[in-house]
Structures are given as C-alpha cells and as structure tokens.
Amino acid sequence: SKSISNLELIFSLAGCSDRREQMGETARKTLASTDFAALQRTLEERRLLPLIGSRVLALAPEEVPSSFQASVTAARARARTYGLGIDLATRQITTSLAAAGIDALPLKGPLLALTAHGDIGLRETADIDLLVSEPQLDAAVRSLIDQGFEPPPGWLRNGRLPDLHWTVQREGVPRVDVHWRVHWYETRF
C-alpha cells in the first residue's frame, strides 16, 4: 500500500473536494501511521491547523488521538474569535474609507474563509488586507493616518508605489495592508 509524507498529506487535504476524494484512501492509510504531534507542529507552523486538522478529523476520526482533536478544536475557536474581531475592524475601516470617498475591497481574511469554507474558524487571519485603486492609494493611507494609524516606513517617497501595499499599524487594531495590486506583475485595479 502506498504511503505519503505529511507534506503530501497536507497538500492532498488542502485541495478541492475532488482531489481530497481521489486521495482519500491513501490519506487514510497514511494517517494510520502518522506522528500526530509532528503533523500538528507542521500545520501550526503553516497556520493550517484549523482547516487541514478539521479535514483530518473528518477523513479518519478513528485514527486521530484526542490530543490532536482537542488542538484542532481549540485552534478553530481561536481563529473564529480572532476572525470575528478582524471582520469587525475591516468593516469599520472600509466604512470610514467609503465615507472619505475611497472604495476599498477586503481581501483574504474572514470574508475568504466564510466564502470558501463556510466558517471563519477554518482560516487563521493575522491582519487586514484591503485593495484600493492606484489613484486612491495615498488618500487611503492618509485617511488611516488621520484615524491614528502610524505612517508606513517609506511612504510618500517621491511618488513611488510600494511593490504591493503600504502597511499601517495602530495599537489595539490588527495591522492593515493597503494594496494597490494583488500580485507583483499586475498593474491594473
């Protein structure tokens, strides 16, 4: 019987439902001999314990030790709690930017988790990512600075754009990355 490594297992469980179904039996066999402490560390390092850990639990509940199950449950609860805070802060910031006439689209974070997985607790989120048009980038950063965020290092450096985004921070609020593009090779909004 074919066995796969932890990274291959993670890759197969990160895929779409068709790929997960296709790899199901191989993944189950791998889980029968998995070092769950090592798997947990790997998932935590990659901030994937809530999502992939939940898929491990669903795939082979009989193979999963209670300590791994408890860690996955706790990670999902933490991600859900933090995600709710990120979602609230994102809504407040996008509302304030809209009031200043700046269109901002939330990227990734709780919105992606809810849309892709149906549960914000399945994706760990550490910051807020917003996309604004290039002409509104400086106005968006200025608006956030006016709300108490620290100016990003290098901001207003002779009109040059950042590679992807400016990062602003304020005590008690998650870091905000204000993107003018999503990928380094992209130039349109």
Side-chain angles (χ1 to χ4, degrees):
S1 78
K2 182 182 178 192
S3 181
I4 56 178
S5 71
N6 275 351
L7 291 179
E8 290 170 315
L9 174 68
I10 292 167
F11 178 74
S12 69
L13 293 177
C16 64
S17 59
D18 288 346
R19 184 169 75 199
R20 291 194 314 268
E21 188 174 315
Q22 183 180 34
M23 294 291 296
E25 191 54 37
T26 302
R28 272 192 229 30
K29 287 177 183 174
T30 298
L31 287 170
S33 61
T34 292
D35 176 348
F36 279 91
L39 177 60
Q40 180 177 330
R41 282 191 304 275
T42 302
L43 292 173
E44 287 171 340
E45 288 168 1
R46 289 166 173 75
R47 295 180 24 208
L48 292 171
L49 184 58
L51 177 63
I52 304 301
S54 293
R55 290 179 177 176
V56 166
L57 293 172
L59 180 65
E62 66 284 350
E63 300 294 341
V64 179
S66 59
S67 59
F68 184 85
Q69 182 175 354
S71 294
V72 170
T73 300
R76 283 183 73 175
R78 280 190 308 274
R80 193 173 292 121
T81 299
Y82 200 70
L84 287 170
I86 294 262
D87 183 56
L88 176 61
T90 301
R91 290 173 193 271
Q92 291 170 337
I93 290 168
T94 56
T95 298
S96 72
L97 290 174
I102 301 164
D103 295 323
L105 176 68
L107 302 171
K108 305 185 285 184
L111 180 62
L112 173 63
L114 190 57
T115 301
H117 308 298
D119 180 354
I120 65 172
L122 290 178
R123 185 177 190 284
E124 292 185 15
T125 302
D127 61 3
I128 297 170
D129 290 275
L130 301 174
L131 178 64
V132 301
S133 66
E134 178 187 339
Q136 291 189 311
L137 180 63
D138 283 338
V141 172
R142 170 64 57 206
S143 178
L144 293 170
I145 291 168
D146 291 346
Q147 295 174 49
F149 286 85
E150 294 293 321
W155 185 57
L156 295 179
R157 54 181 180 180
N158 300 324
R160 290 179 53 207
L161 291 168
D163 289 337
L164 292 175
H165 57 75
W166 290 118
T167 299
V168 295
Q169 298 185 54
R170 183 177 85 196
E171 178 104 15
V173 178
R175 184 184 82 228
V176 180
D177 293 335
V178 185
H179 293 256
W180 69 278
R181 62 183 178 176
V182 179
H183 296 287
W184 64 267
Y185 54 82
E186 166 184 44
T187 58
R188 297 183 314 168
F189 179 60

